[in-house]
Coordinates of all heavy atoms in Angstrom, one line a residue:
M1 N 210.2 -152.2 -57.0 CA 209.7 -153.2 -57.9 C 210.2 -154.6 -57.5 O 211.3 -154.8 -57.0 CB 210.1 -152.9 -59.4 CG 209.5 -153.9 -60.3 SD 210.0 -153.4 -62.0 CE 209.6 -155.0 -62.8
S2 N 209.3 -155.6 -57.6 CA 209.7 -157.0 -57.2 C 210.6 -157.6 -58.3 O 210.6 -157.2 -59.4 CB 208.4 -157.8 -57.1 OG 207.6 -157.3 -56.1
E3 N 211.2 -158.6 -57.9 CA 212.1 -159.4 -58.8 C 211.3 -160.2 -59.8 O 210.3 -160.7 -59.4 CB 213.0 -160.3 -57.9 CG 214.0 -159.5 -57.0 CD 215.0 -158.8 -57.8 OE1 215.6 -159.3 -58.7 OE2 215.3 -157.6 -57.4
P4 N 211.9 -160.4 -61.0 CA 211.2 -161.3 -61.9 C 211.1 -162.7 -61.4 O 211.9 -163.2 -60.6 CB 212.1 -161.3 -63.1 CG 212.9 -160.1 -63.0 CD 213.0 -159.8 -61.5
F5 N 210.0 -163.5 -61.8 CA 209.8 -164.8 -61.3 C 210.9 -165.7 -61.7 O 211.5 -166.5 -60.9 CB 208.4 -165.3 -61.8 CG 208.1 -166.7 -61.3 CD1 207.7 -166.9 -60.0 CD2 208.2 -167.8 -62.2 CE1 207.4 -168.2 -59.6 CE2 207.9 -169.1 -61.8 CZ 207.5 -169.3 -60.5
A6 N 211.2 -165.8 -63.0 CA 212.3 -166.6 -63.5 C 213.6 -165.9 -63.5 O 213.8 -164.9 -64.2 CB 211.9 -167.1 -64.9
Q7 N 214.5 -166.3 -62.7 CA 215.8 -165.7 -62.6 C 216.9 -166.6 -63.0 O 216.8 -167.8 -62.8 CB 216.0 -165.1 -61.2 CG 215.0 -164.0 -60.8 CD 215.3 -163.5 -59.5 OE1 216.3 -163.7 -58.9 NE2 214.4 -162.6 -59.0
G8 N 218.0 -166.1 -63.5 CA 219.1 -166.8 -63.9 C 219.1 -167.2 -65.3 O 218.0 -167.4 -65.9
E9 N 220.2 -167.3 -66.0 CA 220.3 -167.6 -67.4 C 220.0 -169.1 -67.7 O 219.7 -169.4 -68.8 CB 221.7 -167.2 -67.9 CG 221.9 -165.7 -67.9 CD 223.1 -165.3 -68.7 OE1 223.5 -166.1 -69.6 OE2 223.6 -164.2 -68.4
D10 N 220.1 -169.9 -66.7 CA 219.9 -171.4 -66.9 C 218.4 -171.7 -66.6 O 218.1 -172.9 -66.8 CB 220.8 -172.2 -66.0 CG 220.6 -171.9 -64.5 OD1 220.1 -170.8 -64.2 OD2 220.9 -172.8 -63.7
H11 N 217.5 -170.8 -66.4 CA 216.1 -171.1 -66.2 C 215.5 -171.5 -67.5 O 215.8 -170.8 -68.5 CB 215.4 -169.8 -65.6 CG 214.1 -170.2 -65.0 ND1 213.0 -170.4 -65.8 CD2 213.7 -170.4 -63.7 CE1 211.9 -170.7 -65.0 NE2 212.3 -170.7 -63.7
P12 N 214.7 -172.5 -67.6 CA 214.2 -173.0 -68.8 C 213.0 -172.2 -69.5 O 212.5 -172.5 -70.5 CB 213.6 -174.4 -68.5 CG 213.3 -174.3 -67.1 CD 214.3 -173.4 -66.5
A13 N 212.7 -171.1 -68.8 CA 211.6 -170.2 -69.4 C 212.1 -169.7 -70.8 O 213.3 -169.4 -71.0 CB 211.3 -169.1 -68.5
C14 N 211.1 -169.5 -71.7 CA 211.4 -168.9 -73.0 C 212.0 -167.5 -72.9 O 211.7 -166.8 -71.9 CB 210.1 -168.8 -73.8 SG 209.3 -170.4 -74.1
G15 N 212.7 -167.1 -73.8 CA 213.3 -165.7 -73.8 C 212.3 -164.6 -73.8 O 212.6 -163.5 -73.3
I16 N 211.1 -164.8 -74.3 CA 210.1 -163.8 -74.4 C 209.0 -164.0 -73.3 O 208.1 -163.2 -73.2 CB 209.3 -163.8 -75.7 CG1 208.6 -165.1 -76.0 CG2 210.3 -163.4 -76.9 CD1 207.7 -165.1 -77.2
C17 N 209.2 -164.9 -72.4 CA 208.3 -165.2 -71.3 C 208.2 -164.0 -70.4 O 209.2 -163.4 -70.0 CB 208.7 -166.4 -70.5 SG 207.5 -166.9 -69.3
P18 N 206.9 -163.6 -69.9 CA 206.8 -162.5 -69.0 C 207.4 -162.8 -67.6 O 207.7 -161.9 -66.9 CB 205.3 -162.3 -68.9 CG 204.7 -163.6 -69.3 CD 205.6 -164.1 -70.3
S19 N 207.6 -164.1 -67.4 CA 208.3 -164.5 -66.1 C 209.7 -164.0 -65.9 O 210.2 -163.9 -64.8 CB 208.2 -166.0 -65.9 OG 209.1 -166.6 -66.8
K20 N 210.3 -163.7 -67.1 CA 211.7 -163.2 -67.0 C 211.7 -161.7 -66.8 O 212.8 -161.1 -66.5 CB 212.4 -163.5 -68.3 CG 212.7 -165.0 -68.5 CD 213.9 -165.2 -69.3 CE 214.2 -166.7 -69.3 NZ 215.6 -166.9 -69.6
R21 N 210.6 -161.0 -66.9 CA 210.5 -159.6 -66.7 C 209.7 -159.2 -65.5 O 209.9 -158.1 -65.0 CB 209.8 -158.9 -68.0 CG 210.5 -159.2 -69.3 CD 209.8 -158.5 -70.4 NE 210.1 -159.1 -71.7 CZ 209.6 -158.7 -72.8 NH1 208.7 -157.7 -72.8 NH2 210.0 -159.2 -73.9
L22 N 208.7 -160.0 -65.1 CA 207.7 -159.6 -64.1 C 207.7 -160.6 -62.9 O 208.0 -161.8 -63.1 CB 206.3 -159.6 -64.8 CG 206.1 -158.7 -66.0 CD1 204.8 -159.0 -66.6 CD2 206.2 -157.3 -65.6
P23 N 207.2 -160.1 -61.8 CA 207.0 -161.0 -60.7 C 205.8 -161.9 -60.9 O 204.9 -161.6 -61.8 CB 206.8 -160.1 -59.5 CG 206.4 -158.8 -60.1 CD 207.0 -158.7 -61.4
R24 N 205.6 -163.0 -60.2 CA 204.6 -164.0 -60.5 C 203.2 -163.4 -60.4 O 202.3 -163.8 -61.2 CB 204.7 -165.2 -59.5 CG 203.6 -166.2 -59.6 CD 203.7 -166.9 -61.0 NE 202.6 -167.8 -61.2 CZ 201.5 -167.5 -61.9 NH1 201.3 -166.3 -62.3 NH2 200.5 -168.4 -62.0
E25 N 202.9 -162.5 -59.6 CA 201.6 -161.9 -59.5 C 201.2 -161.0 -60.6 O 200.0 -160.6 -60.7 CB 201.4 -161.2 -58.1 CG 202.3 -160.0 -57.9 CD 203.6 -160.4 -57.3 OE1 204.0 -161.5 -57.1 OE2 204.4 -159.4 -57.0
K26 N 202.1 -160.7 -61.5 CA 201.8 -159.7 -62.6 C 201.5 -160.4 -63.9 O 201.3 -159.7 -64.9 CB 203.0 -158.8 -62.8 CG 203.3 -157.9 -61.6 CD 202.3 -156.9 -61.5 CE 202.6 -155.9 -60.3 NZ 201.7 -154.9 -60.1
F27 N 201.5 -161.7 -64.0 CA 201.2 -162.4 -65.3 C 200.3 -163.7 -65.0 O 200.3 -164.2 -63.9 CB 202.4 -162.8 -66.1 CG 203.4 -163.7 -65.4 CD1 203.3 -165.1 -65.7 CD2 204.4 -163.3 -64.5 CE1 204.1 -166.0 -65.1 CE2 205.2 -164.2 -64.0 CZ 205.1 -165.5 -64.2
I28 N 199.6 -164.1 -66.0 CA 198.8 -165.3 -66.0 C 199.4 -166.5 -66.7 O 200.1 -166.2 -67.7 CB 197.4 -165.0 -66.6 CG1 196.6 -164.0 -65.8 CG2 196.5 -166.3 -66.8 CD1 195.4 -163.5 -66.4
V29 N 199.2 -167.7 -66.2 CA 199.8 -168.8 -66.8 C 198.7 -169.7 -67.4 O 197.8 -170.1 -66.7 CB 200.7 -169.7 -65.8 CG1 201.2 -170.9 -66.5 CG2 201.7 -168.8 -65.2
Y30 N 198.7 -169.9 -68.8 CA 197.8 -170.8 -69.5 C 198.4 -172.2 -69.6 O 199.7 -172.3 -69.5 CB 197.5 -170.3 -70.9 CG 196.4 -169.3 -71.0 CD1 196.6 -167.9 -70.7 CD2 195.1 -169.7 -71.3 CE1 195.6 -167.0 -70.8 CE2 194.1 -168.8 -71.4 CZ 194.3 -167.5 -71.2 OH 193.3 -166.6 -71.3
S31 N 197.6 -173.2 -69.8 CA 198.1 -174.5 -69.9 C 198.9 -174.8 -71.1 O 199.7 -175.7 -71.2 CB 196.9 -175.5 -69.8 OG 196.0 -175.3 -70.8
R32 N 198.6 -174.0 -72.2 CA 199.3 -174.2 -73.5 C 199.0 -172.9 -74.3 O 198.1 -172.2 -74.0 CB 198.9 -175.4 -74.2 CG 197.4 -175.5 -74.5 CD 197.0 -176.8 -75.2 NE 195.6 -176.8 -75.4 CZ 194.9 -176.2 -76.3 NH1 195.5 -175.4 -77.1 NH2 193.6 -176.3 -76.4
P33 N 199.7 -172.8 -75.5 CA 199.4 -171.7 -76.4 C 197.9 -171.8 -76.8 O 197.4 -172.9 -77.0 CB 200.3 -171.9 -77.5 CG 201.5 -172.6 -77.0 CD 200.9 -173.5 -75.9
S34 N 197.3 -170.7 -77.0 CA 195.9 -170.6 -77.4 C 195.5 -169.3 -78.1 O 196.2 -168.3 -78.0 CB 195.0 -170.8 -76.1 OG 193.7 -170.5 -76.3
W35 N 194.4 -169.4 -78.8 CA 193.8 -168.2 -79.4 C 193.4 -167.2 -78.4 O 193.2 -166.0 -78.7 CB 192.7 -168.5 -80.4 CG 191.6 -169.3 -79.8 CD1 191.5 -170.7 -79.8 CD2 190.4 -168.8 -79.1 NE1 190.3 -171.0 -79.1 CE2 189.7 -169.9 -78.7 CE3 190.0 -167.5 -78.8 CZ2 188.5 -169.8 -78.1 CZ3 188.8 -167.4 -78.2 CH2 188.0 -168.6 -77.8
E36 N 193.2 -167.6 -77.1 CA 192.8 -166.7 -76.1 C 193.9 -165.8 -75.5 O 193.7 -164.9 -74.8 CB 192.2 -167.5 -74.9 CG 190.8 -167.9 -75.1 CD 190.1 -168.3 -73.8 OE1 190.8 -168.4 -72.8 OE2 188.9 -168.5 -73.9
C37 N 195.1 -166.1 -75.9 CA 196.3 -165.3 -75.5 C 197.2 -165.1 -76.7 O 198.2 -165.7 -76.8 CB 197.0 -166.0 -74.3 SG 197.4 -167.7 -74.6
P38 N 196.8 -164.2 -77.6 CA 197.6 -163.9 -78.8 C 198.9 -163.2 -78.5 O 199.0 -162.5 -77.5 CB 196.6 -163.1 -79.6 CG 195.7 -162.4 -78.6 CD 195.6 -163.4 -77.5
F39 N 199.8 -163.5 -79.4 CA 201.1 -162.9 -79.3 C 201.1 -161.5 -79.9 O 200.5 -161.2 -80.9 CB 202.1 -163.7 -80.1 CG 203.5 -163.2 -80.1 CD1 204.3 -163.3 -79.0 CD2 204.0 -162.6 -81.3 CE1 205.6 -162.9 -79.1 CE2 205.3 -162.1 -81.3 CZ 206.1 -162.2 -80.2
D40 N 201.7 -160.5 -79.2 CA 201.8 -159.2 -79.7 C 203.2 -158.9 -80.2 O 204.1 -158.7 -79.3 CB 201.4 -158.2 -78.6 CG 201.3 -156.7 -79.0 OD1 201.6 -156.5 -80.2 OD2 201.0 -155.9 -78.2
P41 N 203.5 -158.8 -81.5 CA 204.8 -158.6 -82.0 C 205.4 -157.2 -81.6 O 206.6 -157.1 -81.7 CB 204.7 -158.8 -83.5 CG 203.3 -158.6 -83.8 CD 202.5 -158.9 -82.6
A42 N 204.6 -156.3 -81.2 CA 205.1 -155.0 -80.9 C 206.0 -155.0 -79.7 O 207.0 -154.3 -79.6 CB 203.9 -154.0 -80.6
D43 N 205.7 -155.8 -78.7 CA 206.6 -155.9 -77.5 C 207.0 -157.3 -77.1 O 207.7 -157.5 -76.2 CB 205.9 -155.2 -76.3 CG 204.7 -156.0 -75.8 OD1 204.3 -157.0 -76.4 OD2 204.1 -155.6 -74.8
G44 N 206.6 -158.3 -77.9 CA 207.1 -159.7 -77.7 C 206.4 -160.4 -76.6 O 207.0 -161.4 -76.1
L45 N 205.2 -160.1 -76.2 CA 204.5 -160.8 -75.1 C 203.2 -161.3 -75.7 O 202.7 -160.8 -76.6 CB 204.3 -159.9 -73.9 CG 205.5 -159.5 -73.1 CD1 205.1 -158.5 -72.0 CD2 206.2 -160.7 -72.5
R46 N 202.6 -162.3 -75.0 CA 201.3 -162.7 -75.2 C 200.4 -162.0 -74.1 O 200.8 -161.8 -73.0 CB 201.1 -164.2 -75.0 CG 201.7 -165.0 -76.1 CD 201.5 -166.5 -75.8 NE 202.1 -167.3 -76.9 CZ 201.3 -167.7 -77.9 NH1 200.1 -167.4 -78.0 NH2 201.9 -168.4 -78.9
Y47 N 199.2 -161.7 -74.5 CA 198.2 -161.0 -73.6 C 196.9 -161.7 -73.6 O 196.5 -162.4 -74.6 CB 198.0 -159.6 -74.0 CG 199.2 -158.7 -73.8 CD1 200.1 -158.4 -74.9 CD2 199.5 -158.2 -72.6 CE1 201.2 -157.6 -74.7 CE2 200.6 -157.4 -72.4 CZ 201.5 -157.1 -73.4 OH 202.6 -156.3 -73.2
T48 N 196.1 -161.6 -72.6 CA 194.8 -162.1 -72.5 C 193.9 -161.3 -73.5 O 194.2 -160.1 -73.8 CB 194.2 -162.0 -71.1 OG1 194.2 -160.6 -70.7 CG2 194.9 -162.9 -70.1
L49 N 192.8 -161.9 -74.0 CA 191.9 -161.2 -74.9 C 191.1 -160.1 -74.2 O 190.9 -159.0 -74.7 CB 190.9 -162.2 -75.5 CG 191.4 -163.1 -76.6 CD1 190.3 -164.0 -77.0 CD2 191.9 -162.3 -77.7
E50 N 190.7 -160.3 -72.9 CA 189.9 -159.3 -72.2 C 190.7 -158.2 -71.7 O 190.1 -157.2 -71.2 CB 189.1 -160.0 -71.1 CG 189.9 -160.7 -70.0 CD 190.2 -162.1 -70.3 OE1 189.8 -162.7 -71.3 OE2 191.0 -162.7 -69.5
G51 N 192.0 -158.2 -71.7 CA 192.7 -157.1 -71.1 C 194.2 -157.2 -71.6 O 194.5 -157.9 -72.6
R52 N 195.0 -156.4 -71.0 CA 196.4 -156.4 -71.4 C 197.2 -157.1 -70.3 O 198.3 -156.6 -70.0 CB 196.8 -155.0 -71.6 CG 196.2 -154.3 -72.8 CD 196.7 -154.8 -74.1 NE 198.1 -154.4 -74.3 CZ 198.8 -154.9 -75.3 NH1 198.3 -155.7 -76.2 NH2 200.1 -154.6 -75.4
T53 N 196.7 -158.2 -69.8 CA 197.5 -158.9 -68.8 C 198.5 -159.9 -69.5 O 198.1 -160.7 -70.3 CB 196.6 -159.8 -67.9 OG1 195.6 -158.9 -67.3 CG2 197.3 -160.4 -66.8
P54 N 199.8 -159.8 -69.3 CA 200.7 -160.7 -69.9 C 200.5 -162.1 -69.5 O 200.0 -162.4 -68.4 CB 202.1 -160.2 -69.4 CG 201.9 -158.8 -68.9 CD 200.4 -158.8 -68.4
T55 N 200.7 -163.0 -70.5 CA 200.5 -164.5 -70.2 C 201.7 -165.3 -70.6 O 202.4 -165.0 -71.5 CB 199.3 -165.0 -71.0 OG1 199.6 -164.9 -72.4 CG2 198.0 -164.3 -70.6
C56 N 201.9 -166.4 -69.9 CA 202.9 -167.4 -70.2 C 202.1 -168.6 -70.6 O 201.0 -168.9 -70.1 CB 203.7 -167.7 -68.9 SG 204.7 -169.2 -69.1
V57 N 202.6 -169.4 -71.6 CA 201.9 -170.6 -72.1 C 202.7 -171.9 -71.9 O 202.3 -172.9 -72.5 CB 201.5 -170.4 -73.6 CG1 200.5 -169.2 -73.7 CG2 202.7 -170.1 -74.4
H58 N 203.7 -171.8 -71.0 CA 204.5 -173.0 -70.8 C 204.6 -173.2 -69.3 O 205.7 -173.0 -68.7 CB 205.8 -172.9 -71.5 CG 205.8 -172.8 -72.9 ND1 206.1 -171.7 -73.6 CD2 205.3 -173.7 -73.9 CE1 206.0 -171.8 -74.9 NE2 205.4 -173.0 -75.1
P59 N 203.6 -173.7 -68.6 CA 203.7 -173.8 -67.1 C 204.7 -174.9 -66.7 O 205.3 -174.7 -65.6 CB 202.3 -174.3 -66.7 CG 201.7 -174.9 -67.9 CD 202.3 -174.1 -69.1
H60 N 205.0 -175.9 -67.5 CA 206.0 -176.9 -67.2 C 207.4 -176.3 -67.2 O 208.2 -176.8 -66.4 CB 205.9 -178.1 -68.2 CG 206.2 -177.6 -69.6 ND1 205.2 -177.0 -70.4 CD2 207.3 -177.8 -70.4 CE1 205.8 -176.8 -71.6 NE2 207.0 -177.2 -71.6
K61 N 207.6 -175.3 -67.9 CA 209.0 -174.6 -67.9 C 209.1 -173.8 -66.6 O 210.3 -173.6 -66.2 CB 209.2 -173.8 -69.1 CG 209.4 -174.6 -70.4 CD 209.7 -173.7 -71.6 CE 209.9 -174.5 -72.8 NZ 210.3 -173.6 -74.0
L62 N 208.0 -173.3 -66.1 CA 208.1 -172.5 -64.9 C 208.0 -173.3 -63.6 O 208.3 -172.9 -62.6 CB 207.0 -171.4 -64.9 CG 207.0 -170.4 -66.0 CD1 205.9 -169.4 -65.8 CD2 208.4 -169.7 -66.1
G63 N 207.5 -174.5 -63.8 CA 207.3 -175.4 -62.6 C 206.1 -174.9 -61.8 O 206.1 -175.1 -60.6
V64 N 205.0 -174.4 -62.4 CA 203.8 -173.9 -61.7 C 202.6 -174.6 -62.4 O 202.7 -175.0 -63.5 CB 203.7 -172.4 -61.7 CG1 204.9 -171.8 -61.0 CG2 203.6 -171.9 -63.1
E65 N 201.5 -174.6 -61.6 CA 200.2 -175.0 -62.2 C 199.6 -173.9 -63.0 O 199.8 -172.7 -62.6 CB 199.3 -175.4 -61.0 CG 199.6 -176.7 -60.3 CD 199.6 -177.9 -61.2 OE1 198.6 -178.0 -62.0 OE2 200.5 -178.7 -61.2
P66 N 198.9 -174.1 -64.1 CA 198.3 -173.1 -64.9 C 197.2 -172.4 -64.1 O 196.5 -173.0 -63.4 CB 197.9 -173.7 -66.2 CG 197.8 -175.2 -65.9 CD 198.8 -175.4 -64.7
D67 N 197.1 -171.1 -64.3 CA 195.9 -170.3 -63.8 C 194.7 -170.6 -64.6 O 193.6 -170.5 -64.1 CB 196.2 -168.8 -63.8 CG 197.4 -168.4 -63.0 OD1 197.6 -169.1 -61.9 OD2 198.2 -167.5 -63.4
R68 N 194.9 -170.8 -65.9 CA 193.8 -171.0 -66.8 C 194.1 -172.2 -67.8 O 195.2 -172.3 -68.2 CB 193.5 -169.7 -67.7 CG 193.1 -168.5 -66.9 CD 192.8 -167.4 -67.8 NE 192.5 -166.2 -67.0 CZ 192.1 -165.1 -67.5 NH1 192.0 -164.9 -68.8 NH2 191.9 -164.0 -66.7
I69 N 193.0 -172.9 -68.1 CA 193.1 -174.0 -69.0 C 192.8 -173.5 -70.4 O 191.7 -172.9 -70.6 CB 192.2 -175.2 -68.6 CG1 192.5 -175.7 -67.2 CG2 192.3 -176.3 -69.7 CD1 193.9 -176.2 -67.0
A70 N 193.6 -173.7 -71.3 CA 193.4 -173.1 -72.7 C 192.3 -173.9 -73.4 O 192.2 -175.1 -73.2 CB 194.7 -173.2 -73.5
P71 N 191.4 -173.2 -74.1 CA 190.3 -173.9 -74.8 C 190.8 -174.7 -76.0 O 191.9 -174.4 -76.4 CB 189.4 -172.8 -75.2 CG 190.3 -171.6 -75.4 CD 191.3 -171.8 -74.3
P72 N 190.0 -175.6 -76.5 CA 190.5 -176.3 -77.7 C 190.6 -175.4 -78.9 O 190.0 -174.3 -78.9 CB 189.4 -177.4 -77.9 CG 188.2 -176.9 -77.2 CD 188.7 -176.0 -76.0
P73 N 191.4 -175.8 -79.8 CA 191.6 -174.9 -81.0 C 190.3 -174.7 -81.7 O 189.4 -175.5 -81.7 CB 192.5 -175.7 -81.9 CG 193.2 -176.7 -81.1 CD 192.2 -177.0 -79.9
R74 N 190.1 -173.6 -82.3 CA 188.9 -173.2 -83.1 C 188.9 -174.1 -84.4 O 189.9 -174.2 -85.0 CB 188.9 -171.8 -83.4 CG 188.6 -170.9 -82.3 CD 188.5 -169.5 -82.7 NE 188.1 -168.6 -81.6 CZ 188.1 -167.3 -81.7 NH1 188.5 -166.7 -82.8 NH2 187.8 -166.6 -80.6
E75 N 187.8 -174.6 -84.7 CA 187.6 -175.4 -85.9 C 187.3 -174.4 -87.0 O 186.5 -173.6 -86.9 CB 186.5 -176.4 -85.8 CG 186.7 -177.5 -84.7 CD 187.8 -178.4 -85.1 OE1 188.0 -178.7 -86.3 OE2 188.5 -178.9 -84.2
P76 N 188.1 -174.6 -88.1 CA 187.8 -173.7 -89.3 C 186.4 -174.0 -89.8 O 185.9 -175.1 -89.8 CB 188.8 -174.0 -90.3 CG 189.3 -175.3 -89.9 CD 189.1 -175.5 -88.4
A77 N 185.7 -172.9 -90.3 CA 184.4 -173.1 -90.9 C 184.5 -174.0 -92.1 O 185.3 -173.7 -93.0 CB 183.8 -171.8 -91.2
V78 N 183.8 -175.1 -92.1 CA 183.9 -176.0 -93.3 C 182.7 -175.8 -94.2 O 181.6 -175.8 -93.7 CB 183.9 -177.5 -92.8 CG1 183.9 -178.4 -93.9 CG2 185.0 -177.7 -91.8
E79 N 183.0 -175.5 -95.4 CA 181.9 -175.3 -96.4 C 181.7 -176.6 -97.0 O 182.6 -177.3 -97.6 CB 182.3 -174.3 -97.4 CG 182.4 -172.9 -96.9 CD 182.7 -171.9 -98.0 OE1 182.3 -172.1 -99.1 OE2 183.3 -170.8 -97.7
V80 N 180.4 -177.0 -97.0 CA 180.0 -178.3 -97.7 C 179.8 -178.0 -99.1 O 179.0 -177.1 -99.5 CB 178.8 -178.8 -97.0 CG1 178.3 -180.1 -97.7 CG2 179.0 -179.0 -95.5
E81 N 180.6 -178.7 -100.0 CA 180.4 -178.6 -101.4 C 179.2 -179.4 -101.9 O 179.0 -180.5 -101.4 CB 181.7 -179.0 -102.1 CG 182.9 -178.2 -101.9 CD 184.1 -178.6 -102.7 OE1 183.9 -179.2 -103.7 OE2 185.2 -178.4 -102.2
A82 N 178.5 -178.8 -102.8 CA 177.3 -179.5 -103.3 C 177.7 -180.6 -104.2 O 178.7 -180.5 -105.0 CB 176.4 -178.5 -104.1
T83 N 177.1 -181.8 -104.0 CA 177.4 -182.9 -104.8 C 176.6 -182.8 -106.1 O 175.4 -182.6 -106.1 CB 177.0 -184.2 -104.1 OG1 177.6 -184.2 -102.8 CG2 177.4 -185.5 -104.9
P84 N 177.3 -183.0 -107.3 CA 176.5 -182.8 -108.5 C 175.5 -183.9 -108.6 O 175.7 -185.1 -108.2 CB 177.6 -183.0 -109.6 CG 178.9 -183.3 -108.9 CD 178.7 -183.2 -107.4
V85 N 174.3 -183.5 -109.1 CA 173.2 -184.5 -109.2 C 173.3 -185.1 -110.6 O 173.3 -184.4 -111.6 CB 171.9 -183.7 -109.0 CG1 170.7 -184.7 -109.2 CG2 171.9 -183.1 -107.6
R86 N 173.2 -186.4 -110.7 CA 173.2 -187.1 -112.0 C 171.7 -187.2 -112.3 O 170.9 -187.7 -111.5 CB 173.8 -188.4 -111.9 CG 175.3 -188.4 -111.7 CD 175.8 -189.7 -111.3 NE 176.6 -190.3 -112.3 CZ 176.9 -191.6 -112.3 NH1 176.4 -192.4 -111.4 NH2 177.6 -192.1 -113.3
R87 N 171.4 -186.9 -113.5 CA 170.0 -187.0 -114.0 C 169.9 -188.2 -115.0 O 170.8 -188.3 -115.8 CB 169.5 -185.7 -114.6 CG 169.7 -184.6 -113.7 CD 168.6 -183.6 -113.9 NE 168.8 -182.4 -113.1 CZ 168.3 -182.2 -111.9 NH1 167.5 -183.1 -111.3 NH2 168.5 -181.1 -111.3
G88 N 169.0 -189.0 -114.8 CA 168.8 -190.0 -115.8 C 169.1 -191.4 -115.3 O 168.9 -192.4 -115.9
G89 N 169.7 -191.5 -114.1 CA 170.0 -192.8 -113.5 C 171.0 -193.6 -114.2 O 171.8 -193.0 -115.1
W90 N 171.1 -194.8 -114.0 CA 172.2 -195.7 -114.6 C 172.0 -195.9 -116.0 O 172.9 -196.2 -116.8 CB 172.3 -197.0 -113.8 CG 171.0 -197.9 -113.9 CD1 169.9 -197.9 -113.2 CD2 170.8 -198.9 -114.9 NE1 169.0 -198.8 -113.6 CE2 169.5 -199.4 -114.7 CE3 171.5 -199.4 -116.0 CZ2 169.0 -200.4 -115.4 CZ3 171.0 -200.4 -116.8 CH2 169.7 -200.9 -116.5
R91 N 170.8 -195.8 -116.6 CA 170.5 -196.0 -118.0 C 171.2 -194.9 -118.8 O 171.6 -195.2 -120.0 CB 169.0 -196.0 -118.3 CG 168.4 -197.2 -117.7 CD 166.9 -197.2 -118.0 NE 166.3 -198.3 -117.4 CZ 165.0 -198.6 -117.5 NH1 164.2 -197.8 -118.1 NH2 164.5 -199.7 -116.8
S92 N 171.4 -193.7 -118.3 CA 172.0 -192.6 -119.0 C 173.5 -192.9 -119.3 O 174.0 -192.4 -120.2 CB 171.9 -191.3 -118.3 OG 172.6 -191.3 -117.1
L93 N 174.0 -193.9 -118.6 CA 175.4 -194.2 -118.8 C 175.6 -195.0 -120.1 O 176.7 -195.1 -120.6 CB 176.0 -195.0 -117.6 CG 176.0 -194.3 -116.3 CD1 176.4 -195.2 -115.2 CD2 177.0 -193.1 -116.3
F94 N 174.6 -195.7 -120.5 CA 174.7 -196.6 -121.7 C 174.0 -196.1 -122.9 O 173.8 -196.8 -123.9 CB 174.1 -198.0 -121.3 CG 174.8 -198.6 -120.2 CD1 174.2 -198.6 -118.9 CD2 176.1 -199.2 -120.3 CE1 174.9 -199.2 -117.8 CE2 176.7 -199.7 -119.3 CZ 176.1 -199.8 -118.0
R95 N 173.7 -194.8 -123.0 CA 173.1 -194.2 -124.2 C 174.1 -194.2 -125.3 O 175.3 -193.8 -125.1 CB 172.6 -192.8 -123.9 CG 171.2 -192.8 -123.4 CD 170.7 -191.3 -123.4 NE 169.9 -191.2 -122.3 CZ 169.6 -190.2 -121.6 NH1 170.2 -189.1 -121.9 NH2 168.8 -190.2 -120.6
V96 N 173.6 -194.4 -126.4 CA 174.5 -194.3 -127.6 C 174.3 -192.9 -128.2 O 173.1 -192.5 -128.4 CB 174.1 -195.4 -128.7 CG1 174.9 -195.2 -129.9 CG2 174.2 -196.7 -128.1
R97 N 175.3 -192.3 -128.4 CA 175.2 -190.9 -128.9 C 175.5 -190.8 -130.3 O 176.3 -191.4 -131.0 CB 176.2 -190.0 -128.1 CG 175.7 -190.0 -126.7 CD 176.6 -189.1 -125.9 NE 176.3 -189.4 -124.5 CZ 176.6 -188.6 -123.5 NH1 177.3 -187.6 -123.7 NH2 176.3 -188.9 -122.3

């Protein structure tokens, strides 16, 4: 088995980074955290959506260029609330009741 990419305790890679466990050819580097590489709490790694390829999301800590550029965050679905319709126009404001 090949040596892990990030070696030594003084390496700035995160403690859960696949670079501390795997050689460089065994993981993908994204430009930043993204919904395309979710965290799996079962084993403490991030994986690609299309497969089980481990991913790193901090290329600056590894000193490498990212393999993939992370897409922008997903926008939450915004529900447009209906604006109440006033009936009667401005004259209804001055009615004596």
